[in-house]
Amino acid sequence: MSNPPTGSAAPRPPGPARASAPTAGRTGPAGFPGPRTGPLAQAVPASAEAAPRRPAWREGLDRLRTGATTEPGRLRVIGAVLAVLVLAFGAVTAWQVTERATAADSVRDRSQPLSANAADIYRSLADADATAAGGFLAGGQEPRAVRLRYERDIGRASDLLVKAGAHTSGSRAARDQIAKLNHQLPFYTGYIESARANNRQGLPLGGAYLRYASETMRGELLPAASKLYETETARLGSDYGDAKSWPWAATGVGLLTLGALGWAQRRNYRRTNRVFNRGLLAATGASTVVLLWLVVGHSLARAELNESSTHGAQSLHVLNEARIGALQARGDENLTLVARGAVLTPDGDDAYEVSYKAGMRRLVGSGADGAAAGDSLLDRAGKLADDPKGRAPVARALDGVREWQRRHADARATDDSGDYEHALPKVIGAKDSTGESFDRVDGELAAAVRHEQDEFDRAAGDGRGALEWMAAGAVVLAVLGAAGTVLGIGRRLSEYR
């Protein structure tokens, strides 16, 4: 066999055809490029779609973060923070000062007047009871002056109940006591009229009606009036607490603001060697004025409110209790003659005489002469009075009580000896009687109440005045301080343009 010709290709062995190597320029049908395959295809992402767009807030945050790495960016952030702090200081100051001014207004215009009205309700009812008993002792022909005084007391109590009901809508306890007083008062006046009618006819049943009326007064009406007084006094104390509470939030924000402004100015000095930045200095001055105004103004307001509380509201409270105690003692004294020993204690003593002596001990102590005992009502009233005009009527009231005690002892001795006819004028007579002494005591205590009420009005008004314009001034100064901050930082930023 001859060899194949030189230069001719060797024959391919039989078998499956080998795939040709892929080429980058391979084309598909109609000349369009086909899909890339092979090693080059691995360098191309599997998906040709664009990445999802990031949220705008993320982009803004990134820009802010990037900008904060430069000095202008840092200055912008510092300026924004300082402006917000100054405005926040003004807003918090205005908020807390407004709350305390509102509470001070409540003390002066609502709480204390309501407390005084509640005390007047109690006093009017107690005086009506004592006056009714005195009129009963006068016999069938009740003096016109006594009758008018009783009617005036009942009318005043009714008017004050209407006023109290119109201003205590937010207090459930006060409304309950007012409703009870309004419900029981007609029953009491009805018993009094029955006692008068029987007394005019000389019937002994009149004394029973009078005692039952007094039991209604002391068992129903006066306890309800006392609870109303306690409720209104507690509201007064709460308003005092709100008005005098220190504005800690405003003080804290103010100190933080001044610290931040001081830090910013020190930073500015260290970077530029400039001692002052006028804008930041103005913001510091405005914030300092607000903080000093807050501290000094609120301190003055607290001092005046404390004065109005100690030598005004507390003094009025003690004096009102003293007047009520004197009225109750006077009623007990009259009822001792009305009952004539018909109402006894478990020990067998005259119940009204025992109550009279207990009232006197509360009023001036156990002694029958000399100064009032320590912690008695008149002793406390004298100590709370802070000037001679306040102490003088209390001292005269004490003299009247001592005179009253001596006359009462004489009247009791006369009655105990069986001489009722001579004992009676010593109690209800127009001259040298215990009734005359009681009127003197009540008049002096009323004068002391008027003086202390004036002292309260003055001090409470001064306390409220110390807070006047502070809220509006804080807002105005805060706006000016924030503007100064913006201008001061803006002046620094202009150096980078």
Side-chain angles (χ1 to χ4, degrees), residues 166-460:
H167 292 88
T168 55
S169 58
S171 174
R172 175 65 181 274
R175 291 200 306 272
D176 290 344
Q177 301 310 318
I178 291 171
K180 186 174 183 179
L181 287 166
N182 284 324
H183 177 72
Q184 292 292 334
L185 188 57
F187 289 100
Y188 171 79
T189 56
Y191 297 143
I192 291 295
E193 293 308 317
S194 298
R196 283 198 176 108
N198 284 276
N199 193 37
R200 282 194 295 268
Q201 300 176 51
L203 300 177
L205 190 59
Y209 270 114
L210 184 65
R211 291 194 300 273
Y212 193 68
S214 182
E215 290 174 3
T216 301
M217 174 65 74
R218 298 178 180 222
E220 300 290 340
L221 288 167
L222 290 182
S226 178
K227 290 180 181 178
L228 176 62
Y229 179 56
E230 292 171 0
T231 299
E232 299 299 348
T233 302
R235 180 188 296 185
L236 174 61
S238 176
D239 286 339
Y240 261 121
D242 292 340
K244 294 189 294 183
S245 62
W246 190 263
W248 290 110
T251 305
V253 176
L255 293 174
L256 178 63
T257 301
L258 288 177
L261 287 167
W263 171 84
Q265 290 177 87
R266 182 172 181 273
R267 181 182 185 276
N268 181 61
Y269 169 71
R270 294 182 65 183
R271 289 176 176 270
T272 66
N273 276 338
R274 293 173 182 169
V275 179
F276 298 118
N277 178 294
R278 293 179 182 178
L280 294 180
L281 190 62
T284 303
S287 299
T288 302
V289 170
V290 173
L291 185 59
L292 289 176
W293 194 356
L294 174 66
V295 173
V296 175
H298 195 269
S299 297
L300 290 174
R302 288 187 66 173
E304 292 295 340
L305 289 172
N306 282 329
E307 176 76 11
S308 73
S309 175
T310 303
H311 300 295
Q314 292 181 27
S315 184
L316 285 169
H317 178 74
V318 173
L319 287 170
N320 283 324
E321 287 190 347
R323 291 190 75 188
I324 290 168
L327 283 165
Q328 290 177 332
R330 177 60 179 168
D332 289 328
E333 186 177 52
N334 289 339
L335 287 170
T336 300
L337 293 177
V338 172
R340 306 289 301 275
V343 182
L344 303 176
T345 66
D347 296 332
D349 298 323
D350 187 292
Y352 295 119
E353 179 65 14
V354 169
S355 180
Y356 165 84
K357 291 179 178 178
M360 281 293 168
R361 284 194 298 272
R362 186 163 174 260
L363 193 61
V364 293
S366 57
D369 53 18
D375 206 37
S376 64
L377 288 172
L378 288 186
D379 177 71
R380 290 164 55 195
K383 291 178 179 177
L384 287 171
D386 62 336
D387 60 356
K389 289 185 178 180
R391 288 189 290 268
V394 176
R396 292 193 294 268
L398 175 61
D399 293 339
V401 170
R402 294 308 188 193
E403 179 186 63
W404 181 5
Q405 287 178 306
R406 290 191 294 270
R407 291 177 177 180
H408 176 83
D410 181 44
R412 291 307 314 139
T414 303
D415 186 44
D416 290 341
S417 67
D419 192 357
Y420 175 80
E421 294 298 327
H422 285 87
L424 189 60
K426 293 183 178 182
V427 176
I428 64 172
K431 185 70 175 175
D432 298 331
S433 66
T434 59
E436 185 183 36
S437 298
F438 162 74
D439 288 338
R440 177 188 174 190
V441 171
D442 189 64
E444 295 295 346
L445 291 176
V449 166
R450 288 192 296 271
H451 174 75
E452 295 302 327
Q453 183 66 54
D454 292 340
E455 290 291 295
F456 168 83
D457 292 338
R458 178 195 59 76

